[in-house]
Amino acid sequence: MYRYDEFDHTFVTQRVEQFREQVARRISGELSEDEFKPLRLMNGLYLQLHAYMLRVAVPYGTLSARQLRQLAYIARRYDRGYGHFTTRQNIQFNWPTLSDTPDILADLAAVEMHAIQTSGNCIRNTTADATAGVAADEVADSRIYCEIIRQWSTLHPEFSFLPRKFKIAVTGSGRDRAVTAAHDIGLRMQRDADGNPGFEVLVGGGQGRTPVLAAKIRDFLPEGDLLSYLEAILRVYNQLGRRDNIYKARIKILVRETGAAEFARLVEAEWAHIRNGELRLPADELERIRGYFAPPLYQALDDACPELAAQRAGNRGFDAWVQSNVEAHKRPGYAIATISLKPHGGIPGDASAEQMEVVAGLADRYGFGEIRVTYKQNLLLPDLRKGDLFAVWKALGETGLATANSHRLSDIIACPGLDYCNLANARSIPIAQVISARFADLEREREIGNVTVNISGCINACAHHHVANIGILGVDKKGKEFYQVTLGGAADENAAIGDIVGPAFDEDRIAGAVETVVDVYLAERRGADEAFIDTYRRIGLKPFKEKLYAAH
Amino acid sequence: MPSTAITANRLLDGAVIYLTADGGWSERLADAAIADGKDAETDLLAAAETQARAGTVIGPYAFKVEVEAGTPIPLGRREAIRTLGPSVRTDLGTQTATH
C-alpha cells in the first residue's frame, strides 16, 4: 500500500491544528456559522438531520488493517459504535460532536487518513476498482494511477473552487467495476499495440437530476500523459463550466451543451500547451509509486484446492457464499472475497466497531493486512488463500458478516436517506430492509441470479438508482413518501440509464412492486443463463409495466 | 393556518432542539413554544435568529405542528424523524429518552 511521505504527514497534521483553532473560534463566537460552514466542509464535517456527520476519505477504497482498527476505535470512542460505508468508498460517522472533531481528525492523521476534499467543489476521492491489483482479468493495477491522481488533486490550487464537485473513476479491466460512465471523468485502462498501459478517456458522466452517460473523448491516453490530460480537461471545465446555476454546473452539462467532439477539441488544444511540461510523468516516478503497490509475498500454490472443494461439498451455506462472494484472483491458489455489509433486513453499508475489528483481524491473519471498500458499500479481502476461505467464512459468520449475497438482489445500494440526510425527501434504508428481507431465501436469490437494486432518497442519486437494473427513487408527495421505479439501468461496461416505469408506489407497495418485476423476469427469461438486464434489453419495459399497473 | 414551532441544531453537537417559551432551547418538542399565527411565529423566529447570530444554535426555522391534547405533533415525515431519531435505529436519537 501507499505510505504517506513527509509532505503528506506534515500537511495533514498542520491541517488538523488549523481546524482545531477554527473550531475553537466558532465555539467562542468569533466565527459565525456562515463563516465557519465552508471551513468545516473543507474538513468533511457536514450538519445532517440529527447531528454532525464526518465523511472520512478512504483513498480509492484501500485500507490497511491498522486503519480499519482506528476507524473502529473512532466509532466507539467518539460516535455511537458504528460507521457507514458509502458508494464513494468512503466512511461516514453519523454522530460526532463539533468539539470532538479535531481530536477525531488527529486520530485519523495518526494512521495516515483525513477528511480533506470529501466535500466542496473540488476533486473528490477517486472511485476505484475494489479488486485492483488482484483481479484475474485486469489490464494493469489501477491503484498506481489512483495514487498519482490523489497526489495531483490534493489541494490543487487551481482546482479548489471549481464550478461544482468533480469525481474521477478508474477501472483496471474491460469489466467496468468503478461505474466510470457515471463519473465526471472515467478512465478505463487499456494497452496499446506495443503493450504499453494507458487509458480510454470518458468525460461528462453523472447522475443527479440530469443523468448522463459519459462520452468518450480519447481512445488511448499513454500513462505518462495522464496528469497533463486531466489538467487540460479540468482547465476547460473550470473556465467554461457554469457558475450561475447549481443545477447546470457539473461538467456533464458543459459537455452536453458544447458537444463531445467540440469539448474534446478544446481539451486537445489546451493539452497541446502543457503536455510536455512539468506534468509529464517521469518513468522513474511512476516506478517509485508502482513500488508501493508491489505484490505481497504470495506463496507458490496450486490453483486447484482439494480442501476447498471438500469444504464446499460438505457445507451448503459455505458453498453458496463461495459462489456469490468469491472471485478469481490473478495468483494461483488465491481468491478475492467480498464481505457483505447487506444482511437480509439490515442497514446497507453499516458496520459496527466490533465487525470492523473482526475484519481487520482476518485481514492480518489471512490477507496481508489489506481491506478494500467497494462502491457497492461492502468490504473486500483481496488476498486470501483458497484453503483459508472456510476459516474466514466461519469467523465472518460469527459476527453477522457472512451473508452470501454479493451481486444478488439483496446486495442493495442505499443512501442514508431521510433517516439521516438533510437533503433527502424520503427514507431509503427501510425500503432496502423490507426488500432484502423478502428475498432472504438464498436458493431463491441464486435462482434469480445477479441483479442490481439501488435506492436513493432524493434526486441527487447518491445510491446510483439511475444505473441500477431496478432503480428506486424516493420522492415526497405532500409529506408522504413515494417511490418511483426505473428499470434497465446498468453500471458496468455496458452502462445504461434506467427507464421510468410509471407512477410511483407508496411505501407499503414498493417491495411488492420489486417482487412483481422479478416475477415478470423469471417468467420471461430464456433460461437461468439470461440475466435480468439481458431479459430487460430483449423484451423492454412493456411487460413489466403491464404487470405492475395491471390492477389500475 | 396550522400552528408552528421553531427548531434548530445545537452548535456543539448538532442535536435537534426546539425554542421554548422562555427563550431557551429543549431537546423535547413537548417543551416547544407554539405559535398560533403568523405574528407569533415571526416573533419566535426573530428570537431564535438572535441566538443563531450569537452562535449557540444553527439554522433556526419554523415548521408545522398539530397540537393534540396540549402536545405538539410534527406534520410531515422529515420533522417526525428529526423529533425522534433515525427510524431504522430506534436505539439512537431523542426517541430513546421518550420510550
Side-chain angles (χ1 to χ4, degrees):
Chain A
M1 281 181 69
Y2 183 75
R3 303 299 303 262
Y4 274 9
D5 59 18
E6 206 171 291
F7 169 79
D8 290 316
H9 266 300
T10 308
F11 161 68
V12 172
T13 308
Q14 282 173 349
R15 183 69 175 259
V16 171
E17 290 317 307
Q18 182 190 46
F19 189 58
R20 192 183 293 283
E21 197 182 301
Q22 289 162 344
V23 168
R25 288 166 67 204
R26 174 70 183 113
I27 291 172
S28 75
E30 198 181 322
L31 290 177
S32 70
E33 185 60 18
D34 285 348
E35 289 165 327
F36 180 66
K37 188 177 172 185
L39 303 176
R40 69 168 158 79
L41 288 175
M42 279 180 203
N43 292 284
L45 190 65
Y46 291 69
L47 182 62
Q48 295 288 33
L49 283 186
H50 315 288
Y52 289 99
M53 179 274 280
L54 183 68
R55 182 180 293 157
V56 177
V58 178
Y60 36 93
T62 304
L63 280 171
S64 68
R66 177 169 166 256
Q67 290 171 323
L68 186 56
R69 272 197 198 89
Q70 188 78 332
L71 294 175
Y73 168 79
I74 288 167
R76 198 179 278 123
R77 168 83 176 76
Y78 302 102
D79 210 85
R80 303 287 164 90
Y82 70 104
H84 177 75
F85 290 97
T86 75
T87 52
R88 306 270 319 127
Q89 297 168 291
N90 292 323
I91 184 169
Q92 297 180 171
F93 292 108
N94 289 307
W95 306 90
T97 68
L98 178 60
S99 39
D100 278 343
T101 303
D103 290 337
I104 300 174
L105 294 178
D107 286 345
L108 288 169
V111 293
E112 307 188 330
M113 296 185 80
H114 59 70
I116 296 163
Q117 289 181 210
T118 60
S119 174
N121 295 335
C122 52
I123 302 171
R124 306 287 188 89
N125 188 20
T126 299
T127 306
D129 177 347
T131 58
V134 293
D137 64 354
E138 81 178 0
V139 172
D141 184 348
S142 54
R143 290 173 300 171
I144 296 147
Y145 309 99
C146 292
E147 174 54 30
I148 288 169
I149 293 169
R150 186 192 72 81
Q151 294 188 15
W152 162 77
S153 63
T154 300
L155 293 192
H156 193 303
E158 196 174 323
F159 305 137
S160 293
F161 296 95
L162 294 166
R164 200 75 180 88
K165 58 188 167 184
F166 202 91
K167 300 170 183 177
I168 301 172
V170 188
T171 191
S173 85
R175 279 183 58 201
D176 189 344
R177 288 184 283 249
V179 208
T180 57
H183 280 76
D184 296 294
I185 295 177
L187 300 170
R188 294 173 170 174
M189 294 220 62
Q190 322 249 323
R191 285 189 187 273
D192 68 10
D194 299 324
N196 301 308
F199 310 90
E200 178 186 345
V201 182
L202 289 81
V203 71
Q207 300 188 63
R209 70 182 58 225
T210 315
V212 183
L213 294 178
K216 182 164 75 174
I217 59 165
R218 196 160 231 286
D219 288 325
F220 188 81
L221 179 74
E223 62 172 358
D225 294 323
L226 174 64
L227 291 187
S228 59
Y229 198 78
L230 292 181
E231 183 118 339
I233 296 172
L234 264 299
R235 279 190 174 180
V236 172
Y237 169 56
N238 205 17
Q239 194 176 5
L240 301 180
R242 287 181 63 167
R243 292 172 188 269
D244 61 328
N245 183 336
I246 193 173
Y247 302 119
K248 295 185 176 178
R250 294 290 290 265
I251 195 173
K252 63 189 174 186
I253 304 295
L254 176 65
V255 173
R256 202 177 61 177
E257 289 182 0
T258 313
E262 173 61 9
F263 186 85
R265 192 193 65 73
L266 291 167
V267 170
E268 295 283 329
E270 180 63 34
W271 190 40
H273 295 298
I274 57 174
R275 69 177 295 186
N276 293 317
E278 60 182 7
L279 285 172
R280 194 170 167 74
L281 289 168
D284 57 343
E285 183 60 14
L286 265 164
E287 276 316 303
R288 190 183 72 83
I289 291 181
R290 210 184 301 278
Y292 283 109
F293 300 98
L297 293 170
Y298 292 118
Q299 293 173 341
L301 300 171
D302 276 344
D303 200 42
C305 182
E307 196 186 348
L308 172 64
Q311 287 158 338
R312 289 184 69 169
N315 189 313
R316 288 181 65 192
F318 176 60
D319 183 60
W321 183 76
V322 172
Q323 202 174 98
S324 58
N325 291 40
V326 174
E327 289 173 65
H329 196 285
K330 63 161 65 161
R331 296 295 288 238
Y334 282 84
I336 304 165
T338 295
I339 299 171
S340 172
L341 298 182
K342 319 286 179 64
H344 293 113
I347 298 176
D350 275 13
S352 68
E354 292 73 23
Q355 288 176 324
M356 292 184 221
E357 282 164 349
V358 167
V359 172
L362 290 171
D364 269 341
R365 183 162 176 198
Y366 299 108
F368 302 104
E370 191 171 330
I371 302 106
R372 308 281 175 82
V373 183
T374 79
Y375 85 85
K376 289 201 72 169
Q377 302 178 281
N378 292 315
L379 298 176
L380 181 146
L381 294 173
D383 287 307
L384 297 173
R385 288 186 307 198
K386 286 182 177 179
D388 290 332
L389 286 170
F390 190 63
V392 169
W393 174 76
K394 274 201 296 190
L396 289 171
E398 284 165 16
T399 190
L401 290 174
T403 313
N405 63 349
S406 184
H407 307 296
R408 304 292 200 223
L409 191 145
S410 62
D411 188 4
I412 297 171
I413 297 178
C415 68
L418 193 54
D419 279 301
Y420 292 96
C421 179
N422 228 340
L423 302 174
N425 292 320
R427 289 174 298 166
S428 309
I429 296 168
I431 305 305
Q433 288 177 304
V434 172
I435 294 171
S436 78
R438 271 198 191 215
F439 290 89
D441 183 84
L442 285 176
E443 281 305 317
R444 190 172 171 219
E445 279 214 286
R446 191 169 6 192
E447 154 95 16
I448 295 163
N450 290 358
V451 57
T452 56
V453 179
N454 300 352
I455 308 172
S456 300
C458 80
I459 194 68
N460 290 309
C462 291
H464 300 189
H465 67 274
H466 293 299
V467 292
N469 299 163
I470 302 173
I472 299 172
L473 166 65
V475 294
D476 175 281
K477 287 188 183 177
K478 296 180 181 169
K480 287 209 165 123
E481 294 155 297
F482 280 81
Y483 296 89
Q484 192 179 77
V485 174
T486 52
L487 297 178
D492 59 9
E493 58 281 6
N494 300 310
I497 289 164
D499 307 309
I500 297 172
V501 290
F505 301 90
D506 66 24
E507 64 176 301
D508 297 327
R509 291 177 59 230
I510 182 62
V514 171
E515 195 141 23
T516 302
V517 168
V518 170
D519 289 344
V520 172
Y521 157 63
L522 290 174
E524 295 282 344
R525 73 179 180 184
R526 288 177 175 161
D529 289 346
E530 190 178 66
F532 177 89
I533 187 66
D534 298 323
T535 301
Y536 181 82
R537 284 173 177 161
R538 181 169 58 76
I539 67 176
L541 189 63
K542 203 169 160 220
F544 294 96
K545 192 169 183 158
E546 281 172 359
K547 198 82 174 174
L548 279 169
Y549 300 102
H552 291 264
Chain B
M1 144 175 195
S3 302
T4 53
I6 307 295
T7 184
N9 290 84
R10 191 161 56 205
L11 174 69
L12 285 179
D13 60 2
V16 176
I17 46 176
Y18 302 96
L19 185 69
T20 58
D22 63 2
W25 295 88
S26 169
E27 288 184 33
R28 289 158 37 91
L29 176 58
D31 298 336
I34 304 300
D36 285 322
K38 196 71 202 167
D39 290 348
E41 181 189 306
T42 306
D43 290 348
L44 287 179
L45 204 50
E49 276 164 1
T50 303
Q51 295 195 37
R53 278 194 295 278
T56 51
V57 304
I58 308 170
Y61 62 91
F63 68 100
K64 292 173 186 165
V65 294
E66 201 168 51
V67 182
E68 284 179 13
T71 305
I73 312 287
L75 293 176
R77 184 73 80 179
R78 184 180 193 276
E79 291 308 326
I81 289 174
R82 279 183 87 247
T83 303
L84 295 170
S87 70
V88 294
R89 287 293 303 261
T90 50
D91 57 325
L92 299 173
T94 319
Q95 58 201 340
T96 54
T98 55
H99 279 176

